[in-house]
Amino acid sequence: MSWAPDSWRSCEALQQPHYPDADALAAAERELAAYPPLVSLRDVDALKAAIGAAQAGRAFLLQGGDCAESFAEFSSENIDANVSLLAAMAARIAAASGLATIPVGRMAGQFAKPRSMPFETRGGTSLPAYRGDIVNGIAFDAAARRPDPERMFRAYAQAAATVNRIEGAAYTSHEALLLPFEQALVRTDPATGRFYGASAHFLWIGDRTRFPGSAHVEFARGLANPIGVKCGPALAPDMLLALLDILDPGREAGRITLIARMGHARAAAALPPLLRAVRGSGHPVLWSCDPMHGNTVRTRGGYKTRPLEHILAETKAFFAAAAAEGVACGGLHFEMSGRDVAECTGLGVTLSEADMADRYHSHCDPRLNPAQAMALADLVAEALGNADRLDPPVLAGGAA
Ligand code: PEP
Ligand code: CO
């Protein structure tokens, strides 16, 4: 089957906003299609080569940042804090493991969010769900929630300024969810004729949109970028192998990163069949552990949180399952903030009223704060084999 930047349009596209003004959407797509790429295509190639080295056991992929970037939280202070935390985690893991670490931010484009329900109802009023700042506003009023294509320009500008600020300290990545935007950012390499998703170095397909026949899989299939696939508990081994055949028929080094997010209670049982099936298929993949998205729970007040002890438990279970199957855990995927937020519980965060009043800021899922993120980095450093040089992570007070 031939591929084109718009061939996804004849497939099933889940999680897309309904734009009431189709002409405005088409005009925005045309305008964006003429804009400069947000990343250099040669840097995309460099990241793919680096992930290839990680697949061969010579490097470790460290991918983290906000669940959702927002227009409101855009500042050089926030960007710098996230980049510094990623660097501190990378240094810890590199020192303990002797592996080169590849820092990749969930940054400079992580704006669009999949939602469990298309509408949100409060007090008898139903409005379109918030789908991230690139689509609509988080405030619960009809004007804010109306999907507005003009928001794509602000997202583009914020991503461009963020790339500029990061300046080589990390590669960029996001979920390639909002397909009209992603298509508008496809660029061709004049030297080879290959197509690149030029909105970020690394793009991933979310757990809700990675089914065979999905528009997101069709879109990613034709891009030269390294591609991530989120693997949740509903993913069967034969379905994963079918996805690998579609996304990486040429079995290219560095092409595929599988990001497992099973939840701490399911990881030990769910991972081995997938690890075994992929190993048996001979597809070269990088297995990465996302210990965040399977461990989201609600507080009594209805806020989303994640207990650090569950995040650490899933990470341990991942390393154990990978070791038992003779597969390397070559990456970590997480949501964190370089600011001292109180969103995940543990290491002193209890989500008390005071925490909720001024330290809970996430636009979407709860993020690790710097102390919690370093505890996770310690655990990974230990699991990669040089535990003796480090103190084991200690969970002090407040773990939920
Ligand atoms: C995410 O990474 O923010 C996300 C929504 O993940 P998943 O697709 O794994 O649920
Ligand atoms: Co998230």
Side-chain angles (χ1 to χ4, degrees), residues 75-122:
S75 68
S76 41
E77 202 184 335
N78 284 348
I79 296 167
D80 295 354
N82 282 8
V83 167
S84 301
L85 179 54
L86 203 55
M89 295 173 76
R92 180 73 55 92
I93 291 168
S97 67
L99 294 172
T101 49
I102 310 162
V104 178
R106 286 177 63 113
M107 295 178 81
Q110 176 48 28
F111 290 109
K113 298 309 301 176
R115 303 315 304 260
S116 44
M117 307 293 269
F119 290 93
E120 183 181 346
T121 304
R122 288 192 205 171

Short mmCIF file of all heavy atoms in Angstrom, two decimals, residues 75-122:
data_model
loop_
_atom_site.label_atom_id
_atom_site.label_comp_id
_atom_site.label_asym_id
_atom_site.label_seq_id
_atom_site.Cartn_x
_atom_site.Cartn_y
_atom_site.Cartn_z
N SER A 75 7.61 29.16 30.35
CA SER A 75 8.60 30.15 30.80
C SER A 75 9.98 29.54 30.65
O SER A 75 10.13 28.31 30.69
CB SER A 75 8.37 30.52 32.28
OG SER A 75 8.67 29.42 33.11
N SER A 76 11.00 30.39 30.52
CA SER A 76 12.35 29.83 30.42
C SER A 76 12.72 29.13 31.72
O SER A 76 13.43 28.13 31.70
CB SER A 76 13.39 30.89 30.03
OG SER A 76 13.15 32.09 30.68
N GLU A 77 12.18 29.63 32.84
CA GLU A 77 12.46 28.97 34.12
C GLU A 77 11.99 27.52 34.13
O GLU A 77 12.71 26.61 34.56
CB GLU A 77 11.73 29.76 35.21
CG GLU A 77 12.27 29.58 36.59
CD GLU A 77 11.41 30.35 37.60
OE1 GLU A 77 10.73 31.33 37.21
OE2 GLU A 77 11.40 29.93 38.76
N ASN A 78 10.77 27.29 33.65
CA ASN A 78 10.25 25.91 33.61
C ASN A 78 11.03 25.03 32.65
O ASN A 78 11.33 23.88 32.96
CB ASN A 78 8.77 25.90 33.21
CG ASN A 78 7.87 26.33 34.35
OD1 ASN A 78 8.31 26.42 35.51
ND2 ASN A 78 6.62 26.60 34.04
N ILE A 79 11.35 25.57 31.47
CA ILE A 79 12.12 24.78 30.51
C ILE A 79 13.47 24.41 31.12
O ILE A 79 13.89 23.25 31.09
CB ILE A 79 12.35 25.58 29.20
CG1 ILE A 79 11.01 25.85 28.51
CG2 ILE A 79 13.29 24.83 28.26
CD1 ILE A 79 11.11 26.91 27.40
N ASP A 80 14.15 25.40 31.69
CA ASP A 80 15.49 25.16 32.25
C ASP A 80 15.43 24.14 33.39
O ASP A 80 16.30 23.28 33.52
CB ASP A 80 16.10 26.47 32.75
CG ASP A 80 16.36 27.47 31.62
OD1 ASP A 80 16.18 27.09 30.44
OD2 ASP A 80 16.75 28.62 31.91
N ALA A 81 14.39 24.25 34.23
CA ALA A 81 14.28 23.33 35.36
C ALA A 81 14.07 21.90 34.86
O ALA A 81 14.66 20.95 35.41
CB ALA A 81 13.13 23.76 36.27
N ASN A 82 13.25 21.73 33.84
CA ASN A 82 13.02 20.37 33.31
C ASN A 82 14.29 19.80 32.67
O ASN A 82 14.62 18.63 32.87
CB ASN A 82 11.87 20.37 32.30
CG ASN A 82 10.51 20.42 32.98
OD1 ASN A 82 10.41 20.59 34.19
ND2 ASN A 82 9.45 20.28 32.20
N VAL A 83 14.98 20.65 31.91
CA VAL A 83 16.20 20.18 31.26
C VAL A 83 17.26 19.84 32.31
O VAL A 83 17.97 18.83 32.19
CB VAL A 83 16.72 21.24 30.26
CG1 VAL A 83 18.13 20.93 29.80
CG2 VAL A 83 15.79 21.34 29.06
N SER A 84 17.36 20.64 33.37
CA SER A 84 18.35 20.36 34.42
C SER A 84 18.04 19.04 35.13
O SER A 84 18.96 18.28 35.45
CB SER A 84 18.37 21.45 35.49
OG SER A 84 18.67 22.66 34.91
N LEU A 85 16.76 18.81 35.40
CA LEU A 85 16.40 17.57 36.09
C LEU A 85 16.70 16.36 35.20
O LEU A 85 17.24 15.35 35.66
CB LEU A 85 14.93 17.60 36.51
CG LEU A 85 14.40 16.35 37.22
CD1 LEU A 85 15.26 15.98 38.45
CD2 LEU A 85 12.94 16.56 37.65
N LEU A 86 16.36 16.48 33.92
CA LEU A 86 16.68 15.39 32.98
C LEU A 86 18.20 15.14 32.97
O LEU A 86 18.65 13.99 32.99
CB LEU A 86 16.18 15.79 31.59
CG LEU A 86 15.89 14.71 30.56
CD1 LEU A 86 14.91 13.67 31.08
CD2 LEU A 86 15.34 15.35 29.27
N ALA A 87 18.97 16.21 32.98
CA ALA A 87 20.44 16.07 32.96
C ALA A 87 20.94 15.42 34.25
O ALA A 87 21.86 14.58 34.22
CB ALA A 87 21.09 17.43 32.75
N ALA A 88 20.34 15.79 35.38
CA ALA A 88 20.78 15.20 36.66
C ALA A 88 20.46 13.71 36.70
O ALA A 88 21.27 12.89 37.16
CB ALA A 88 20.09 15.92 37.83
N MET A 89 19.29 13.34 36.21
CA MET A 89 18.93 11.92 36.15
C MET A 89 19.87 11.17 35.21
O MET A 89 20.35 10.07 35.52
CB MET A 89 17.48 11.75 35.67
CG MET A 89 16.45 12.33 36.63
SD MET A 89 14.77 12.29 35.94
CE MET A 89 14.35 10.55 36.13
N ALA A 90 20.15 11.80 34.06
CA ALA A 90 21.05 11.17 33.08
C ALA A 90 22.44 10.96 33.67
O ALA A 90 23.05 9.91 33.49
CB ALA A 90 21.12 12.03 31.81
N ALA A 91 22.91 11.96 34.41
CA ALA A 91 24.26 11.86 34.99
C ALA A 91 24.30 10.73 36.02
O ALA A 91 25.26 9.95 36.07
CB ALA A 91 24.64 13.19 35.64
N ARG A 92 23.26 10.63 36.82
CA ARG A 92 23.21 9.57 37.84
C ARG A 92 23.23 8.19 37.19
O ARG A 92 23.98 7.29 37.60
CB ARG A 92 21.92 9.75 38.67
CG ARG A 92 21.70 8.73 39.77
CD ARG A 92 22.62 8.95 40.96
NE ARG A 92 22.52 10.30 41.49
CZ ARG A 92 21.70 10.70 42.46
NH1 ARG A 92 20.89 9.82 43.02
NH2 ARG A 92 21.69 11.93 42.88
N ILE A 93 22.41 8.04 36.16
CA ILE A 93 22.32 6.73 35.50
C ILE A 93 23.60 6.41 34.73
O ILE A 93 24.11 5.29 34.78
CB ILE A 93 21.07 6.70 34.58
CG1 ILE A 93 19.81 6.70 35.46
CG2 ILE A 93 21.08 5.49 33.65
CD1 ILE A 93 18.52 6.96 34.71
N ALA A 94 24.16 7.43 34.08
CA ALA A 94 25.40 7.20 33.33
C ALA A 94 26.55 6.83 34.26
O ALA A 94 27.33 5.92 33.97
CB ALA A 94 25.76 8.46 32.52
N ALA A 95 26.63 7.51 35.41
CA ALA A 95 27.73 7.24 36.34
C ALA A 95 27.65 5.82 36.87
O ALA A 95 28.66 5.14 37.03
CB ALA A 95 27.70 8.25 37.48
N ALA A 96 26.44 5.36 37.15
CA ALA A 96 26.29 4.04 37.75
C ALA A 96 26.40 2.92 36.72
O ALA A 96 26.87 1.83 37.03
CB ALA A 96 24.95 3.94 38.47
N SER A 97 25.95 3.18 35.50
CA SER A 97 25.86 2.09 34.53
C SER A 97 27.01 2.08 33.53
O SER A 97 27.25 1.08 32.87
CB SER A 97 24.56 2.22 33.74
OG SER A 97 24.58 3.39 32.93
N GLY A 98 27.69 3.22 33.40
CA GLY A 98 28.72 3.31 32.38
C GLY A 98 28.14 3.45 30.98
O GLY A 98 28.88 3.45 29.99
N LEU A 99 26.80 3.55 30.88
CA LEU A 99 26.18 3.69 29.56
C LEU A 99 26.02 5.17 29.21
O LEU A 99 25.75 5.99 30.09
CB LEU A 99 24.78 3.06 29.56
CG LEU A 99 24.69 1.55 29.75
CD1 LEU A 99 23.23 1.14 29.91
CD2 LEU A 99 25.33 0.84 28.56
N ALA A 100 26.16 5.48 27.93
CA ALA A 100 25.79 6.82 27.47
C ALA A 100 24.28 6.95 27.65
O ALA A 100 23.54 6.01 27.39
CB ALA A 100 26.15 6.98 26.01
N THR A 101 23.81 8.08 28.12
CA THR A 101 22.36 8.27 28.19
C THR A 101 21.93 9.23 27.10
O THR A 101 22.66 10.16 26.74
CB THR A 101 21.91 8.82 29.56
OG1 THR A 101 22.72 9.93 29.88
CG2 THR A 101 22.05 7.77 30.65
N ILE A 102 20.74 8.99 26.58
CA ILE A 102 20.18 9.81 25.50
C ILE A 102 19.03 10.61 26.09
O ILE A 102 17.96 10.05 26.34
CB ILE A 102 19.66 8.92 24.36
CG1 ILE A 102 20.71 7.88 23.93
CG2 ILE A 102 19.21 9.77 23.17
CD1 ILE A 102 20.11 6.72 23.13
N PRO A 103 19.22 11.90 26.36
CA PRO A 103 18.12 12.67 26.95
C PRO A 103 17.12 13.11 25.89
O PRO A 103 17.49 13.71 24.89
CB PRO A 103 18.83 13.89 27.57
CG PRO A 103 20.12 14.03 26.83
CD PRO A 103 20.44 12.72 26.16
N VAL A 104 15.86 12.77 26.13
CA VAL A 104 14.77 13.15 25.22
C VAL A 104 13.67 13.78 26.06
O VAL A 104 13.17 13.15 26.99
CB VAL A 104 14.22 11.92 24.46
CG1 VAL A 104 13.06 12.33 23.56
CG2 VAL A 104 15.31 11.26 23.63
N GLY A 105 13.32 15.02 25.76
CA GLY A 105 12.27 15.69 26.52
C GLY A 105 10.89 15.34 25.98
O GLY A 105 10.71 15.22 24.77
N ARG A 106 9.93 15.18 26.88
CA ARG A 106 8.52 15.30 26.47
C ARG A 106 8.30 16.81 26.44
O ARG A 106 7.71 17.39 27.34
CB ARG A 106 7.59 14.67 27.51
CG ARG A 106 7.54 13.14 27.58
CD ARG A 106 6.61 12.68 28.71
NE ARG A 106 5.24 13.07 28.52
CZ ARG A 106 4.22 12.25 28.28
NH1 ARG A 106 4.41 10.95 28.21
NH2 ARG A 106 3.00 12.72 28.16
N MET A 107 8.86 17.44 25.45
CA MET A 107 8.96 18.90 25.45
C MET A 107 8.88 19.41 24.02
O MET A 107 9.16 18.67 23.09
CB MET A 107 10.31 19.35 26.04
CG MET A 107 10.51 19.01 27.50
SD MET A 107 12.15 19.52 28.08
CE MET A 107 11.84 21.25 28.37
N ALA A 108 8.59 20.70 23.90
CA ALA A 108 8.57 21.40 22.60
C ALA A 108 7.57 20.77 21.64
O ALA A 108 7.88 20.53 20.48
CB ALA A 108 9.98 21.43 21.99
N GLY A 109 6.36 20.50 22.15
CA GLY A 109 5.31 19.97 21.27
C GLY A 109 4.36 18.98 21.91
O GLY A 109 3.44 18.49 21.24
N GLN A 110 4.54 18.71 23.22
CA GLN A 110 3.68 17.72 23.90
C GLN A 110 2.40 18.43 24.39
O GLN A 110 2.20 18.64 25.58
CB GLN A 110 4.47 17.06 25.04
CG GLN A 110 3.71 16.08 25.93
CD GLN A 110 2.89 15.04 25.18
OE1 GLN A 110 3.23 14.67 24.07
NE2 GLN A 110 1.81 14.60 25.76
N PHE A 111 1.56 18.79 23.43
CA PHE A 111 0.39 19.62 23.75
C PHE A 111 -0.95 18.89 23.65
O PHE A 111 -1.93 19.34 24.24
CB PHE A 111 0.31 20.82 22.80
CG PHE A 111 1.37 21.85 23.00
CD1 PHE A 111 2.41 22.02 22.09
CD2 PHE A 111 1.33 22.68 24.12
CE1 PHE A 111 3.37 22.99 22.27
CE2 PHE A 111 2.30 23.66 24.31
CZ PHE A 111 3.32 23.81 23.38
N ALA A 112 -1.04 17.86 22.84
CA ALA A 112 -2.35 17.24 22.58
C ALA A 112 -2.53 16.00 23.45
O ALA A 112 -1.61 15.20 23.60
CB ALA A 112 -2.45 16.85 21.10
N LYS A 113 -3.70 15.85 24.04
CA LYS A 113 -3.94 14.76 24.98
C LYS A 113 -5.11 13.87 24.56
O LYS A 113 -6.18 14.38 24.21
CB LYS A 113 -4.27 15.33 26.38
CG LYS A 113 -3.17 16.14 27.01
CD LYS A 113 -1.83 15.42 27.01
CE LYS A 113 -1.86 14.09 27.76
NZ LYS A 113 -0.53 13.40 27.62
N PRO A 114 -4.92 12.54 24.63
CA PRO A 114 -6.06 11.64 24.45
C PRO A 114 -6.91 11.68 25.71
O PRO A 114 -6.39 11.86 26.81
CB PRO A 114 -5.39 10.27 24.28
CG PRO A 114 -4.11 10.37 25.05
CD PRO A 114 -3.69 11.81 24.97
N ARG A 115 -8.21 11.53 25.57
CA ARG A 115 -9.10 11.59 26.74
C ARG A 115 -9.99 10.36 26.77
O ARG A 115 -10.31 9.79 25.73
CB ARG A 115 -9.98 12.86 26.69
CG ARG A 115 -9.21 14.17 26.62
CD ARG A 115 -8.03 14.28 27.57
NE ARG A 115 -8.32 14.07 28.96
CZ ARG A 115 -8.48 15.03 29.86
NH1 ARG A 115 -8.38 16.30 29.50
NH2 ARG A 115 -8.73 14.74 31.10
N SER A 116 -10.40 9.97 27.99
CA SER A 116 -11.25 8.78 28.08
C SER A 116 -12.68 9.07 27.62
O SER A 116 -13.37 8.17 27.16
CB SER A 116 -11.22 8.18 29.48
OG SER A 116 -11.33 9.19 30.44
N MET A 117 -13.14 10.31 27.73
CA MET A 117 -14.49 10.65 27.30
C MET A 117 -14.44 11.87 26.37
O MET A 117 -13.72 12.82 26.66
CB MET A 117 -15.37 11.01 28.50
CG MET A 117 -15.39 9.97 29.61
SD MET A 117 -16.18 8.46 29.07
CE MET A 117 -17.84 8.85 29.57
N PRO A 118 -15.23 11.89 25.29
CA PRO A 118 -15.22 13.05 24.39
C PRO A 118 -15.88 14.30 24.99
O PRO A 118 -15.62 15.41 24.56
CB PRO A 118 -15.99 12.58 23.16
CG PRO A 118 -16.75 11.37 23.59
CD PRO A 118 -16.05 10.78 24.77
N PHE A 119 -16.75 14.08 25.99
CA PHE A 119 -17.42 15.22 26.64
C PHE A 119 -17.19 15.18 28.14
O PHE A 119 -16.92 14.13 28.70
CB PHE A 119 -18.93 15.19 26.36
CG PHE A 119 -19.26 15.51 24.93
CD1 PHE A 119 -19.40 14.49 24.00
CD2 PHE A 119 -19.39 16.82 24.50
CE1 PHE A 119 -19.66 14.78 22.67
CE2 PHE A 119 -19.65 17.13 23.18
CZ PHE A 119 -19.79 16.10 22.26
N GLU A 120 -17.28 16.33 28.75
CA GLU A 120 -17.19 16.42 30.21
C GLU A 120 -18.50 17.07 30.69
O GLU A 120 -18.94 18.07 30.12
CB GLU A 120 -16.00 17.28 30.60
CG GLU A 120 -15.80 17.36 32.11
CD GLU A 120 -14.61 18.24 32.49
OE1 GLU A 120 -13.78 18.57 31.62
OE2 GLU A 120 -14.54 18.58 33.69
N THR A 121 -19.09 16.49 31.72
CA THR A 121 -20.37 17.00 32.23
C THR A 121 -20.19 17.48 33.66
O THR A 121 -19.63 16.76 34.49
CB THR A 121 -21.45 15.90 32.17
OG1 THR A 121 -21.54 15.44 30.83
CG2 THR A 121 -22.81 16.45 32.60
N ARG A 122 -20.60 18.69 33.92
CA ARG A 122 -20.58 19.24 35.28
C ARG A 122 -21.91 19.93 35.53
O ARG A 122 -22.29 20.81 34.75
CB ARG A 122 -19.47 20.29 35.45
CG ARG A 122 -18.07 19.71 35.46
CD ARG A 122 -17.08 20.78 35.93
NE ARG A 122 -15.75 20.52 35.42
CZ ARG A 122 -14.74 21.37 35.52
NH1 ARG A 122 -14.91 22.56 36.08
NH2 ARG A 122 -13.56 21.05 35.05
#
